[in-house]
Amino acid sequence: MTGAVVAIACLFLGILLRSLPKFPEELAAKWVQEYLIRIVLPALALLYIPAIKPSWDLLIPISVAWFTFLLSWAVFGFLGKWLNWGKNVTGCLIIVAGLANTSFLGFPVIEGLYGKEGLPIALLIDQGGSFLLVSSLSILVGSLYGNHSESLTQVPLKIIKFPPFGFLIGALLMSLMDIPTPEWLIPFLTLIGKTMPPMALLVIGLRFSADMKLISSRFFWYGLTYRLIFAPAMVWLIYREFLDPKSLEFKVSVLESGMAPMITGSIIAIQFGLQPKLATLLSGLGMPISGISLAIFYLLLG
């Protein structure tokens, strides 16, 4: 609870600093983004990924995050090209709407609704799904749709050079080879990892602007409709063929897929120049709005 209070306080701190005359909010946001991308994401990869022991039983809940991201890519990729939205808007919606806030928002919601029994499932979806995606496919989308998009032959190099990706590959190899993260590193990595929610919300606050024109735009509501309604509805329809609809695994999977857009996903979109204001609004306003949709899905799940 304390961590959540501090994180939300950082959101309002960012908004306050942004309102100060002559405060360099753009430079401050860039510094915090660099810290998140180059230090926090690699630290989280080393902290969590090696602890995941690969097994077939884990694939179904983990696949939920991958399914909804790839579905987002298919839906917005098709609509963006068909309706000529432009690469920046399309890429922003693919990444931000495709990634759910499965940890900062998801963990307390799942624990509050289903108790500690639901947390291991939520952790699998987050670490094996959302976190791997934000460090891999979201970078690919950013490279393909961003302001500085290169040719397809240059995209792999850009992904490899992106700091979290190298640490992700190393952490995955550690998991596959059953090599644990050194004990002496864990306290430092944990401390760094705890700075993710407050620093991410600080960036959102520094970039937040209640632009009514943007809030009323169809792109904002397309993104939220996909993330809060369409994605969990599709998980419900498809995954009931693989999981017992009354099981805790099924219920947690549906609710986690209906969380608000992931804050880190917004930061990745911002890093690649993909509609920063839209990305910020989707993750910032998505959290309070998702309270309504999550309550409805919780009641429908029983």
Side-chain angles (χ1 to χ4, degrees):
M1 179 61 74
T2 303
V5 171
V6 171
I8 292 170
C10 284
L11 172 65
F12 288 105
L13 174 62
I15 295 172
L16 175 63
L17 291 174
R18 177 185 171 85
S19 67
L20 295 177
K22 297 184 179 180
F23 182 79
E25 72 269 10
E26 191 65 34
L27 183 61
K30 185 177 180 180
W31 284 351
V32 179
Q33 280 172 218
E34 288 296 315
Y35 167 72
L36 290 168
I37 296 294
R38 297 182 180 277
I39 297 177
V40 178
L41 284 180
L44 289 172
L46 289 176
L47 181 63
Y48 290 116
I49 302 302
I52 297 176
K53 304 306 174 190
S55 74
W56 291 109
D57 295 337
L58 306 180
L59 290 181
I60 293 180
I62 285 175
S63 69
V64 167
W66 291 83
F67 167 70
T68 55
F69 184 86
L70 292 172
L71 183 62
S72 172
W73 196 345
V75 169
F76 291 120
F78 170 75
L79 290 176
K81 191 170 184 179
W82 182 37
L83 300 174
N84 197 28
W85 287 348
K87 295 180 72 174
N88 274 197
V89 171
T90 304
C92 176
L93 290 176
I94 291 171
I95 294 175
V96 183
L99 291 165
N101 195 333
T102 49
S103 56
F104 175 66
L105 180 63
F107 291 171
V109 168
I110 295 301
E111 185 176 11
L113 295 177
Y114 297 115
K116 293 191 180 296
E117 294 81 5
L119 281 179
I121 306 163
L123 184 66
L124 280 176
I125 295 170
D126 180 67
Q127 297 303 315
S130 302
F131 184 75
L132 288 180
L133 282 163
V134 83
S135 303
S136 56
L137 287 189
S138 70
I139 303 169
L140 174 60
V141 173
S143 298
L144 292 172
Y145 289 86
N147 281 339
H148 306 291
S149 297
E150 291 87 358
S151 68
L152 288 176
T153 57
Q154 294 175 306
V155 167
L157 181 61
K158 187 165 186 177
I159 294 172
I160 291 169
K161 289 169 65 179
F162 202 68
F165 187 74
F167 283 88
L168 170 67
I169 297 301
L172 284 172
L173 290 174
M174 290 170 69
S175 174
L176 292 171
M177 298 169 69
D178 200 21
I179 300 173
T181 303
E183 287 291 332
W184 63 271
L185 261 182
I186 290 178
F188 298 102
L189 298 175
T190 302
L191 184 62
I192 293 170
K194 286 181 177 179
T195 66
M196 167 61 90
M199 290 299 99
L201 282 175
L202 179 62
V203 174
I204 296 298
L206 287 168
R207 293 186 174 276
F208 188 83
S209 175
D211 186 335
M212 294 308 298
K213 183 178 178 181
L214 194 56
I215 292 173
S216 62
S217 79
R218 66 187 190 278
F219 299 120
F220 175 76
W221 292 105
Y222 286 165
L224 280 192
T225 299
Y226 175 86
R227 183 70 270 158
L228 304 183
I229 300 174
F230 187 71
M234 292 302 294
V235 169
W236 189 329
L237 288 172
I238 292 172
Y239 278 76
R240 65 182 179 181
E241 301 298 326
F242 308 99
L243 294 170
D244 179 358
K246 295 181 180 179
S247 69
L248 187 59
E249 288 83 358
F250 179 78
K251 293 178 180 181
V252 171
S253 296
V254 172
L255 282 187
E256 280 282 58
S257 66
M259 296 293 164
M262 186 184 196
I263 298 169
T264 318
S266 294
I267 290 170
I268 296 293
I270 293 168
Q271 191 82 359
F272 283 96
L274 299 171
Q275 294 292 314
K277 288 186 177 180
L278 177 60
T280 300
L281 281 175
L282 283 169
S283 58
L285 290 183
M287 283 191 283
I289 294 173
S290 68
I292 301 169
S293 57
L294 287 171
I296 293 171
F297 273 103
Y298 174 68
L299 292 173
L300 292 173
L301 285 164

